[in-house]
Amino acid sequence: MKKELEQLLNMRKENKISESDFKILSEALTKNSFCSILENSILINPFQKIAGFKALFIGIIIMLLMSILGVYASVYIDGTLGYLTSNGLKVARQPSFFLLLYQNAIACMVVATLFYLSAILLRQKGIRIIDFLGTITFARYPLCISLVFFIIEKWLKPENFNEDLSQGMSLHFSIIGTIGGLLLMACYLWQGMNYFFAFKESSGLDGKRLWSAFLVTMPVADVLAIILTRFFLYS
C-alpha cells in the first residue's frame, strides 16, 4: 500500500490526476480494511520498519533464545513452522543447544534462499539477499512465543507430556490443554502470516505474482527444511 500511495503522489505532482481524484484514490487505499490493518500492524508486519542487518541481528537473538527454550522444553525444531516433542521418539540425539541452533539456522536459510530465488525467477530487480535473511530470521518470533506457551503448559500439566508417543497418543481433555492448543495454533497462523509479509517486503512483489510465488515456495521450503532439520536425529 505504501508503494501505491507513492505512485499516486507522483501522479499528482505530474498532473496526471486531479486533486479530487487523488483524495478519492488515497482514501480508498488507506481505508481501515481487515487486510490493511494486518499489513500495517507492527505485530504482523514489522518488516516495513525493520529489515536488513538490523532484522538479522534481532533474528539471531531470537534464534539463540529459541534454542535455549527448546532445550528446556525438550523439543526439536521441525521444518519451518513447528517443533516436535522428544518424548518417545527413537532418535540418536537428545535436544541440545547446538542441535537446535543448527535446526533454527537451517529453517531460516532454506526459507530465505528459496524466497530469494523465486523473486529472481520472477525477474524482480533491486532485491538483496540480506533483506531476505534478515526478515525471515526475525519473522520466527511467533514460534519463540509459542515455545514459551508450551513450557508453561508443560509446567502446569506435566502428565500430558510424559506419554510414549511411539505407542500411540491418547487424548486428554483439560481447560489448560485446550487453551494451550489454541494458543499454539494461533502462533502457527501468526508465523505463516509473518513469512508472507517478510517475503512481500523483501521481494517487492505484489498481486498474483506475490501470492503464486509464496504458495509454491513455502511448501517446498517446509519439506526441504524438514529433511535437513531431521538429518542429525537419526544418524
Side-chain angles (χ1 to χ4, degrees):
M1 185 178 68
K2 185 178 179 181
K3 291 182 179 180
E4 286 82 357
L5 285 173
E6 289 177 354
Q7 289 175 353
L8 281 178
L9 284 170
N10 291 332
M11 292 173 68
R12 178 67 188 94
K13 290 177 182 178
E14 296 170 2
N15 294 320
K16 292 182 178 180
I17 57 174
S18 65
E19 183 66 30
S20 59
D21 289 338
F22 172 76
K23 289 182 179 179
I24 294 172
L25 292 172
S26 61
E27 286 176 1
L29 282 174
T30 56
K31 67 179 180 180
N32 291 326
S33 65
F34 179 71
C35 292
S36 65
I37 290 173
L38 282 180
E39 184 171 356
N40 293 304
S41 170
I42 191 66
L43 293 176
I44 302 295
N45 185 15
F47 317 110
Q48 292 179 340
K49 298 182 178 179
I50 304 175
F53 287 102
K54 185 177 181 181
L56 181 60
F57 176 74
I58 298 173
I60 290 173
I61 295 175
I62 292 170
M63 201 168 12
L64 294 171
L65 182 58
M66 283 182 64
S67 301
I68 295 171
L69 291 173
V71 173
Y72 185 77
S74 190
V75 299
Y76 301 102
I77 304 300
D78 190 47
T80 64
L81 290 169
Y83 41 84
L84 292 171
T85 178
S86 64
N87 293 344
L89 292 180
K90 297 179 180 180
V91 294
R93 287 174 171 81
Q94 291 301 309
S96 67
F97 173 78
F98 290 107
L99 174 60
L100 293 173
L101 186 60
Y102 157 78
Q103 292 178 321
N104 273 299
I106 282 294
C108 293
M109 291 178 64
V110 166
V111 176
T113 301
L114 291 185
F115 278 175
Y116 178 69
L117 292 176
S118 66
I120 290 178
L121 289 173
L122 290 171
R123 299 182 179 180
Q124 192 70 356
K125 298 179 180 179
I127 56 176
R128 304 185 306 164
I129 185 63
I130 185 60
D131 290 326
F132 289 85
L133 286 171
T135 55
I136 294 302
T137 307
F138 179 29
R140 287 172 62 80
Y141 63 83
L143 278 181
C144 188
I145 294 173
S146 73
L147 270 174
V148 175
F149 290 144
F150 183 86
I151 290 171
I152 292 173
E153 183 183 356
K154 193 173 183 178
W155 177 68
L156 292 174
K157 296 289 286 186
E159 61 273 14
N160 291 349
F161 299 89
N162 294 328
E163 296 182 5
D164 186 352
L165 296 182
S166 64
Q167 303 299 320
M169 182 178 68
S170 58
L171 299 177
H172 303 282
F173 174 78
S174 68
I175 295 177
I176 293 175
T178 302
I179 294 174
L182 290 174
L183 288 172
L184 290 177
M185 289 177 61
C187 285
Y188 291 151
L189 178 61
W190 185 5
Q191 181 63 68
M193 289 190 291
N194 266 21
Y195 279 143
F196 175 79
F197 285 115
F199 182 40
K200 182 178 187 297
E201 298 299 331
S202 299
S203 66
L205 295 169
D206 56 14
K208 292 182 179 180
R209 293 202 308 164
L210 170 65
W211 279 102
S212 59
F214 179 78
L215 293 176
V216 170
T217 306
M218 196 65 231
V220 176
D222 193 42
V223 171
L224 182 58
I226 287 174
I227 294 172
L228 293 175
T229 52
R230 295 182 183 183
F231 182 78
F232 288 110
L233 296 186
Y234 305 100
S235 59

